[in-house]
Amino acid sequence: NPVCYNITSFDLLVNPVPPSFNAELIQCDEDGTIDGITSFNLNEAFDDLTGNSDTVFIEFYASVSDAENSTDVLNAIGYENSSNPEIVYAKVIDNDTGCFSISQLRLEVSTTQINDFIVPDVCDELDSEDCINTFDLNAITTTIQADNSLVFPVTYYESYNDALLEQNELTTPYTNTEPYNQTIYSRVENDNACYGIGEV
């Protein structure tokens, strides 16, 4: 019956999209082949892409269309670029609402390098005879900076892959895990841009 009706109201809630910002990651090409292709940890750009937000998460895609449709998400850790430079797309998603915005992440591979460094021999600790000792990484940093004529920060890792992807950073003092001698890896960065990776 068209004359029988009542009127009510309801609220429309419009959630804002989270802000996102274009960013850049510069990675070292230290795999022995200077071809501009290497592995990236895309999560290293999180703060730049989100403006240091703690209420969002990011998914990475090869195209805007993939990001809009949530298809073919990229593996953020260990992503290997296909060209130099390369653009991938960051989908910044609000934790609570699911609203999102999309920004560009420019990946570039740098061919700058740092010199390898040999730590002078140290004596084993008295009465231990296990060829395990502790090393002051800060002192090594000072020498690496002087040897390469730079002031950029230096971090250390037990494997090359960890240094490349910035995972499992070593702290000082560091105790070697392989008796007699061991190689660790130093990573020099300039404002989150990889300058070089070297053997220590």
Side-chain angles (χ1 to χ4, degrees):
N1 189 336
V3 298
C4 296
Y5 65 88
N6 200 353
I7 297 174
T8 188
S9 64
F10 58 91
D11 294 328
L12 295 176
L13 301 178
V14 180
N15 294 309
V17 297
S20 63
F21 309 91
N22 292 339
E24 180 180 59
L25 272 183
I26 300 178
Q27 180 63 293
C28 292
D29 194 354
E30 291 280 354
D31 57 4
T33 305
I34 307 300
D35 57 4
I37 304 298
T38 193
S39 295
F40 287 82
N41 181 352
L42 304 182
N43 292 325
E44 288 296 317
F46 183 92
D47 288 343
D48 291 339
L49 291 166
T50 66
N52 298 303
S53 175
D54 59 0
T55 62
V56 296
F57 65 98
I58 298 180
E59 294 173 348
F60 295 95
Y61 296 88
S63 69
V64 172
S65 176
D66 285 348
E68 290 173 340
N69 297 298
S70 298
T71 55
D72 298 324
V73 64
L74 301 177
N75 185 10
I77 299 177
Y79 174 75
E80 187 171 284
N81 62 311
S82 57
S83 62
N84 185 32
E86 179 181 1
I87 302 292
V88 296
Y89 297 88
K91 184 175 184 178
V92 178
I93 306 167
D94 187 279
N95 289 332
D96 296 324
T97 67
C99 294
F100 65 88
S101 59
I102 298 171
S103 59
Q104 294 183 2
L105 176 59
R106 183 177 188 271
L107 306 178
E108 183 176 340
V109 180
S110 168
T111 57
T112 56
Q113 298 179 342
I114 61 171
N115 300 326
D116 292 340
F117 178 69
I118 298 176
V119 179
D121 290 349
V122 297
C123 295
D124 205 354
E125 294 166 336
L126 191 62
D127 297 326
S128 70
E129 297 178 0
D130 58 2
C131 292
I132 301 291
N133 212 331
T134 55
F135 295 85
D136 181 1
L137 299 181
N138 292 332
I140 296 173
T141 293
T142 301
T143 307
I144 288 175
Q145 289 170 329
D147 186 43
N148 291 277
S149 301
L150 50 82
V151 294
F152 305 141
V154 182
T155 52
Y156 299 91
Y157 304 86
E158 282 194 339
S159 72
Y160 170 79
N161 196 58
D162 280 352
L164 196 63
L165 301 179
E166 298 179 78
Q167 297 179 307
N168 307 311
E169 181 180 337
L170 302 178
T171 57
T172 191
Y174 172 70
T175 302
N176 60 304
T177 57
E178 299 174 15
Y180 300 101
N181 61 70
Q182 179 174 351
T183 298
I184 62 174
Y185 297 84
S186 59
R187 179 185 175 105
V188 177
E189 284 208 347
N190 177 16
D191 193 24
N192 204 32
C194 184
Y195 184 87
I197 296 174
E199 292 186 355
V200 177

